[in-house]
Amino acid sequence: MSALAPGSVIGILGGGQLGRMLAMEAAALGFDVHIYTPEEDSPAARVSARVTVAAYDDAVALAAFARDVAVVTTEFENVPAATAEILIASGAVVHPNPRALALAQDRVAEKQLFASLGIATAPFAVVDTREDLAGALHTIGAPSILKTRRLGYDGKGQARIASLGEADEAFASIGEAPAILEGFCAFEREVSVVAARGIDGSFAAYDLVQNIHQNGILARTIAPAPGAAAIADAANAMTQRLAEALNYVGVITLELFVMPDGALLANEMAPRVHNSGHWTMDACGASQFEQHIRAIAGWPLASTTRLCDAEMQNLIGADADAWQTLSADPNARLHLYGKRDALPGRKMGHVTRLKP
Amino acid sequence: MSALAPGSVIGILGGGQLGRMLAMEAAALGFDVHIYTPEEDSPAARVSARVTVAAYDDAVALAAFARDVAVVTTEFENVPAATAEILIASGAVVHPNPRALALAQDRVAEKQLFASLGIATAPFAVVDTREDLAGALHTIGAPSILKTRRLGYDGKGQARIASLGEADEAFASIGEAPAILEGFCAFEREVSVVAARGIDGSFAAYDLVQNIHQNGILARTIAPAPGAAAIADAANAMTQRLAEALNYVGVITLELFVMPDGALLANEMAPRVHNSGHWTMDACGASQFEQHIRAIAGWPLASTTRLCDAEMQNLIGADADAWQTLSADPNARLHLYGKRDALPGRKMGHVTRLKP
């Protein structure tokens, strides 16, 4: 694919804040955006030229969407395989490719890919039955974490197993769904790489960042991660290896645990722009959103140089009620997502504090 | 008016690139945007939640628009007085206020206001008839410039008078419209102040910039203007005096000539965000577009600190065909406006080169 000309239509699956920020950056480069989402009045649709409100299994709507757009991307990894198939059968170019999306939907396949690429992880085992779980606990031991293979995010679909006796209860709490048992990682901290791979195979990572979670949801991202110099090259190399193995196009995120001895263990990948990359909107020339649009449009990747230190804080639920205070802070760059209801746990916006 | 809460609807008159960039910044702060424009498929509408496509004298459409929005602003100064009156009669809050808009539409009223505020200008005289022009030329002399009082922009509606014998031809060339004769200013260069005044009377100017025109259209803006230290305080003070006299709310621009002796002569004001402020998108924390939205929403003004030197270049007509080269320049921040046809003289986008 040659570079998409300005005026081309970029299709985005999903109407949330990631789609919204992608749409705005696409528009800034002269593209029109078509949002496909089941949600009426979505945050992304309100900043886009066109919207299709339809289910992800609506073959007719998907085919029409595919015909309207020059390329399709997504704001979330849980795109049903059938959705991607219909889009491709209708002639759409889909970036990232369906294999990358499918892998990221299945914690087992993801971990197996990491292993095949020599990317270290916590010990893990496949759990389909109570017997599997018992066997896995024998090998991996407790404490450990049981996670559904599919559809987990922000700490959902997970159960911690502190001792062997909690196994059945934990399995029941995730609905006895197909799962993975992961050995508990006594990590020192979590970092992530947000990087992009272009259609020409070029690769560019933003600075390694450190992430702080609260209640299983990202609370803050520190850019750069303290002590990044010692680990960034290794983290970037893992991410590049992963992106190349997937023949990936777009922004990809790799979350890593940093162990007390400095070793890096891959936690999970996200085949998309990521909350831990929001700081790039204010502290880099080109944000992760522009970078993703550039990649999927076949444009050259932009510089990922960090212009100053930054800290991103998520505004979750009622946090966003502080907009008046935040808007008056001269060091705070406020971003609100246009969501109607500040439900508990809902990401309503974020604020980035620059440290020039 | 207290600060508008996120989720409120901001109405913008005009569907061009200034409306588009205002709309995107409004969305980033959590507002919904409603564009009012006579143009189908306008650049601004394609990034906004709602659009009304109707004429500026459509009283029914204007009244409905006024009822839908919490505040109305504009991307252009030539808003018909009747339009503003209908909006206000329908209950809309309009920023900047109609008096400021009306003044900026009339070069004579504008120059008279400058004079009343002690803001120096080139000598000028009102020209309604050939006889007025003859008299004005006697006083002001040639070379001088004859400009229509109304609806001039980007060098349109202007005629240069090199010698007294060219008077009739010049007047004919502007359709013998009501005009102003301005003494020719042998200025060294042109600078502009892009500043904002908040609802609370607070005032914040971006760094003084230098503007280079070609064929009457802005070609480049250099931020900061070379030698700004010697003249910026005076230029900012003039702009603040002007904004206060107009009880202005929003971003206001003052174009000034710098004379060889360093004196500043006001050329014209624009009651809006301005092409010479586009560099703020990439070289400041908050752009002029965010600043304008903050002001009209009753939010605190943002910091106007310049993070690095910058140079903005307009992409006019076919200039935008170079998007592939520009997109590959790691120092160039490319902005395209989504206009369908690259007509000669049409502003298609701009590129800002940062000099960290």
Side-chain angles (χ1 to χ4, degrees), chain A residues 231-269:
Chain A
I231 51 176
D233 285 351
N236 291 347
M238 289 178 186
T239 311
Q240 186 165 9
R241 219 178 307 152
L242 181 62
E244 282 174 2
L246 293 167
N247 195 22
Y248 195 90
V249 172
V251 165
I252 186 169
T253 305
L254 183 62
E255 295 181 16
L256 297 151
F257 297 132
V258 185
M259 303 304 288
D261 65 357
L264 296 172
L265 301 184
N267 178 29
E268 62 181 34
M269 63 165 281

Side-chain angles (χ1 to χ4, degrees), chain A residues 20 27 32 285 294 327 333, chain B residues 20 27 285 294 327 333 340:
Chain A
R20 179 176 171 99
D32 281 0
R294 281 174 167 264
S327 72
R333 300 282 306 132
Chain B
R20 180 176 171 101
R294 283 175 166 264
S327 73
R333 301 282 307 130
R340 300 300 186 203

Side-chain angles (χ1 to χ4, degrees), chain A residues 124-241:
Chain A
F124 66 91
V126 180
V127 173
D128 287 327
T129 64
R130 291 190 187 197
E131 292 67 39
D132 289 346
L133 180 54
L137 276 168
H138 262 283
T139 315
I140 292 172
S144 51
I145 304 171
L146 187 66
K147 300 176 177 176
T148 56
R149 281 179 73 150
R150 296 181 169 277
L151 297 174
Y153 68 96
D154 284 353
K156 289 168 190 158
Q158 302 195 5
R160 204 172 264 247
I161 300 180
S163 66
L164 302 190
E166 294 175 15
D168 285 356
E169 188 189 343
F171 201 34
S173 80
I174 63 162
E176 302 203 356
I180 185 172
L181 185 74
E182 297 179 6
F184 180 77
C185 246
F187 60 85
E188 209 171 65
R189 57 207 176 99
E190 193 199 294
V191 296
S192 60
V193 178
V194 176
R197 188 164 176 272
I199 281 179
D200 59 357
S202 57
F203 180 85
Y206 289 101
D207 280 1
L208 189 77
V209 296
Q210 181 169 334
N211 299 316
I212 293 135
H213 290 80
Q214 276 166 10
N215 306 317
I217 303 177
L218 182 65
R220 292 189 295 130
T221 294
I222 300 163
I231 51 176
D233 285 351
N236 291 347
M238 289 178 186
T239 311
Q240 186 165 9
R241 219 178 307 152

Side-chain angles (χ1 to χ4, degrees), chain A residues 3-6 20 24 27-30 32 46-49 285-286 290 294 299-300 323-324 327-328 333-336 340, chain B residues 3-6 20 24 27-30 32 46-49 285-286 290 294 299-300 323-324 327-328 333-336 340:
Chain A
L4 281 186
R20 179 176 171 99
M24 290 200 277
L29 296 178
D32 281 0
R46 272 183 266 127
V47 299
S48 298
E290 174 176 334
R294 281 174 167 264
W299 286 31
W323 59 269
Q324 269 188 291
S327 72
R333 300 282 306 132
L334 178 62
H335 302 263
L336 295 170
R340 300 298 187 205
Chain B
L4 280 186
R20 180 176 171 101
M24 290 201 277
L29 295 177
D32 282 358
R46 273 182 266 129
V47 298
S48 297
E290 173 175 335
R294 283 175 166 264
W299 286 32
W323 60 270
Q324 268 188 292
S327 73
R333 301 282 307 130
L334 178 63
H335 302 263
L336 295 171
R340 300 300 186 203

Side-chain angles (χ1 to χ4, degrees), chain B:
Chain B
M1 185 176 96
S2 62
L4 280 186
S8 303
V9 182
I10 290 182
I12 299 176
L13 298 173
Q17 72 267 21
L18 300 181
R20 180 176 171 101
M21 292 184 274
L22 283 168
M24 290 201 277
E25 297 280 16
L29 295 177
F31 295 108
D32 282 358
V33 174
H34 187 155
I35 298 290
Y36 190 106
T37 173
E39 186 189 354
E40 296 281 354
D41 186 33
S42 66
R46 273 182 266 129
V47 298
S48 297
R50 295 177 225 178
V51 59
T52 297
V53 177
Y56 289 122
D57 62 358
D58 183 333
V60 174
L62 285 168
F65 176 68
R67 284 191 300 273
D68 185 56
V69 302
V71 61
V72 175
T73 191
T74 173
E75 65 157 7
F76 63 105
E77 55 268 50
N78 293 319
V79 177
T83 303
E85 276 161 26
I86 295 168
L87 290 170
I88 288 171
S90 305
V93 175
V94 178
H95 290 309
N97 64 64
R99 184 176 154 237
L101 295 175
L103 259 163
Q105 290 172 31
D106 180 348
R107 292 183 192 279
V108 170
E110 187 183 3
K111 287 286 199 304
Q112 287 168 341
L113 175 66
F114 290 158
S116 76
L117 295 171
I119 296 172
T121 65
F124 65 91
V126 180
V127 172
D128 287 327
T129 63
R130 291 189 185 198
E131 292 68 38
D132 289 345
L133 179 54
L137 276 170
H138 261 284
T139 316
I140 291 172
S144 52
I145 303 171
L146 187 66
K147 301 178 177 175
T148 56
R149 282 179 73 151
R150 296 180 169 277
L151 296 173
Y153 69 97
D154 284 351
K156 288 167 191 158
Q158 302 195 5
R160 203 173 264 248
I161 300 181
S163 66
L164 301 191
E166 294 175 15
D168 285 356
E169 187 189 346
F171 200 33
S173 80
I174 63 162
E176 303 203 355
I180 184 171
L181 184 76
E182 296 179 8
F184 179 77
C185 246
F187 60 86
E188 208 171 65
R189 56 208 177 100
E190 194 198 294
V191 296
S192 61
V193 178
V194 175
R197 187 163 177 272
I199 281 178
D200 59 357
S202 57
F203 180 85
Y206 289 100
D207 280 1
L208 188 75
V209 295
Q210 181 169 334
N211 300 317
I212 292 133
H213 289 79
Q214 276 165 9
N215 307 319
I217 304 177
L218 182 65
R220 294 188 296 131
T221 295
I222 300 162
I231 50 176
D233 285 353
N236 291 346
M238 287 178 188
T239 312
Q240 186 165 9
R241 217 178 307 151
L242 180 63
E244 283 175 359
L246 293 168
N247 195 24
Y248 195 91
V249 172
V251 165
I252 187 170
T253 305
L254 183 60
E255 296 181 14
L256 296 150
F257 297 132
V258 185
M259 304 303 288
D261 65 356
L264 296 172
L265 300 185
N267 177 29
E268 61 181 35
M269 63 166 280
R272 54 170 169 80
V273 290
H274 192 261
N275 198 165
S276 70
H278 289 1
W279 64 277
T280 61
M281 299 174 82
D282 294 303
C284 298
S287 73
Q288 64 168 345
F289 302 100
E290 173 175 335
Q291 189 78 306
H292 185 74
I293 297 296
R294 283 175 166 264
I296 67 165
W299 286 32
L301 297 183
S303 162
T304 52
T305 302
R306 179 176 44 77
L307 304 174
C308 62
D309 290 7
E311 184 168 326
M312 190 283 308
Q313 179 199 340
N314 269 338
L315 302 175
I316 297 172
D319 291 351
D321 295 346
W323 60 270
Q324 268 188 292
T325 308
L326 293 167
S327 73
D329 178 348
N331 294 313
R333 301 282 307 130
L334 178 63
H335 302 263
L336 295 171
Y337 304 151
K339 297 187 182 177
R340 300 300 186 203
D341 303 305
L343 304 180
R346 198 172 196 199
K347 291 176 179 171
M348 301 299 295
H350 71 270
V351 63
T352 301
R353 292 186 174 82
L354 301 178
K355 299 164 189 171

